[in-house]
Amino acid sequence: MAQKILVTTDLSVNSKAGIKFAIQLASKNGSTLVFYHLVELLKPTRWSEGRYQDYVGQELAMAQTKLLKFVDN
């Protein structure tokens, strides 16, 4: 059974070393990397649920793009 390595990041310069280490470790033992980046989104009280869900979708898509770009670099 392949192991998974959980890699947390706050997209800071300091977290790059941890990402590099995780990539090296995974390449040595064939593990799968799982990246985790927390995004906290507050809901304005005046927004409808539909507007909030649209906002969440857009913000999560942008966060995923940033994470992929950060890891690729």
Side-chain angles (χ1 to χ4, degrees):
M1 175 187 234
Q3 293 184 341
K4 293 182 181 179
I5 299 173
L6 178 62
V7 185
T8 60
T9 182
D10 59 0
L11 305 181
S12 70
V13 173
N14 292 332
S15 68
K16 284 191 182 237
I19 291 173
K20 288 178 183 178
F21 178 79
I23 291 170
Q24 290 173 350
L25 182 61
S27 68
K28 287 182 181 179
N29 66 13
S31 296
T32 302
L33 296 177
V34 177
F35 291 92
Y36 182 81
H37 174 66
L38 177 68
V39 177
E40 182 178 13
L41 301 173
L42 302 177
K43 179 183 177 187
T45 56
R46 294 182 181 195
W47 284 10
S48 68
E49 187 62 29
R51 182 174 179 192
Y52 178 66
Q53 291 304 321
D54 289 343
Y55 168 72
V56 167
Q58 292 170 359
E59 291 296 313
L60 291 179
M62 284 191 314
Q64 184 176 16
T65 300
K66 284 182 185 178
L67 176 61
L68 291 172
K69 184 177 179 181
F70 184 77
V71 171
D72 282 343
N73 288 333

